[in-house]
Amino acid sequence: MSYKRHQIMTAPAEPRAELWRLALGLVLCIVIWFGLARGIIALLGSVMEGGAYLTLLAGLQTGTTPGSLLLVLLLTGALGVGAVMVAQMLHDRRGLSLLGPWRLFRWDFLRVTGALVVLNAAVLALPPWDFLSSTQPGLPVNTWLLFLPVTLVVVFIQTGAEEVFFRGYFQSQLAARVRHPAIWLGLPSLAFGLGHYMPGVYGDNALMVAGWSVLFGLAAADLTARSGSLGAAVALHFVNNVMVFALVSLGGDMSGLALRQLPFGPGDTEAIAAFLPLDLAMIGVSWLTARLALRL
């Protein structure tokens, strides 16, 4: 009964809900994503000087400068474009239906975002956390403020695209065909976790990070099924990623937009292993906060 509102998301998927269409659609989404991303990078190469272009390509591997990290996040937006195109061409459903009803999406997003901003501000302000002494300087404040508006827009595009693909498309199309929640909640979340399995970055913690991502995906999937729109899931993802990319990042890779950095990076095995349970607890509290904000 708690997932009754999920029918709002699955109803547009039902006329073309064959599993072969979904399997083909998932492949096409990835192909479109990579094709558009490569096209954008090639276009940049045609208008940039050779040295600057090589520097850009190197920066995409690390994300340690504002420009490189913004481009990495922006390219993820192509995944959402792919999902919208596939929904319209292969499933004969409106692309915007992947968000749920627009008014519901917008209202859920604003309410949950507001609640999570208050939650994170309280966590940063309350002891024993000491924001300044526990972190290292990132971008200078003036530079950070200059980039902040575009950072918020690009993070919204990145998180929105991932939610449109995993929850808006994959979850709703699967749920329109397979009725058991364990399957349509679980499979997209497992795929989300697989996308975050990076042994070259996280080393011995790669499986643990992927497991964290699966649980995050389940939280977002649950909010989508309970609310009937992507608004709450996008808000959860958006606030989390703003905190990670713009406020307090790990040291090293993908830190180019952060105001502060933690004194360890993704390759610090012991520090990451100790940090992940705390971060997972924060995701759990954020999920509960989102449910309270929506009174679900």
Side-chain angles (χ1 to χ4, degrees):
M1 293 299 293
S2 60
Y3 291 152
K4 186 176 181 179
R5 299 188 72 179
H6 197 221
Q7 294 176 4
I8 299 173
M9 299 288 293
T10 61
E14 288 177 356
R16 300 285 192 278
E18 298 89 346
L19 291 180
W20 70 263
R21 288 183 187 270
L22 175 58
L24 176 60
L26 293 173
V27 173
L28 289 176
C29 286
I30 302 300
V31 170
I32 293 171
W33 175 26
F34 278 99
L36 287 175
R38 289 179 65 88
I40 292 171
I41 293 173
L43 179 62
L44 291 173
S46 68
V47 299
M48 297 176 67
E49 296 182 358
Y53 182 60
L54 292 176
T55 301
L56 174 67
L57 292 180
L60 292 178
Q61 305 301 315
T62 61
T64 52
T65 65
S68 65
L69 184 51
L70 284 172
L71 183 56
V72 169
L73 297 175
L74 188 61
L75 291 176
T76 307
L79 181 61
V81 174
V84 169
M85 292 176 63
V86 167
Q88 295 184 160
M89 294 186 300
L90 191 60
H91 300 278
D92 195 26
R93 60 182 293 191
R94 293 174 61 248
L96 285 179
S97 70
L98 300 179
L99 300 176
W102 173 246
R103 287 187 178 182
L104 183 60
F105 171 88
R106 182 180 59 187
W107 182 238
D108 287 353
F109 175 79
L110 292 175
R111 282 200 294 179
V112 173
T113 297
L116 293 179
V117 167
V118 172
L119 171 66
N120 281 273
V123 170
L124 290 178
L126 294 174
W129 171 262
D130 189 332
F131 179 66
L132 294 178
S133 66
S134 301
T135 58
Q136 301 171 345
L139 287 177
V141 175
N142 289 343
T143 304
W144 182 78
L145 288 172
L146 180 66
F147 277 101
L148 185 58
V150 69
T151 297
L152 295 176
V153 171
V154 170
V155 171
F156 179 78
I157 291 172
Q158 176 251 329
T159 54
E162 291 188 3
E163 291 305 317
V164 163
F165 174 73
F166 286 103
R167 261 63 71 176
Y169 176 68
F170 193 174
Q171 178 175 315
S172 68
Q173 285 294 145
L174 186 60
R177 182 67 178 182
V178 180
R179 299 303 180 185
H180 202 293
I183 297 175
W184 52 257
L185 289 173
L187 287 182
S189 300
L190 287 171
F192 185 73
L194 182 62
H196 290 78
Y197 178 67
M198 296 178 285
V201 176
Y202 292 103
D204 293 341
N205 288 319
L207 194 59
M208 188 183 296
V209 172
W212 176 98
S213 300
V214 171
L215 293 175
F216 183 94
L218 286 171
D222 175 80
L223 290 174
T224 300
R226 289 179 184 275
S227 64
S229 87
L230 279 191
V234 173
L236 178 72
H237 206 159
F238 173 71
V239 174
N240 177 78
N241 283 21
V242 167
M243 294 293 297
V244 168
F245 290 123
L247 196 59
V248 185
S249 74
L250 294 174
D253 291 356
M254 301 299 165
S255 62
L257 293 166
L259 177 64
R260 306 289 298 182
Q261 296 181 24
L262 293 169
F264 54 86
D268 295 327
T269 304
E270 292 184 2
I272 293 294
F275 177 74
L276 279 176
L278 298 175
D279 199 35
L280 184 60
M282 186 63 188
I283 294 302
V285 174
S286 297
W287 169 73
L288 289 172
T289 301
R291 288 189 57 183
L292 287 173
L294 296 175
R295 296 178 175 83
L296 294 176

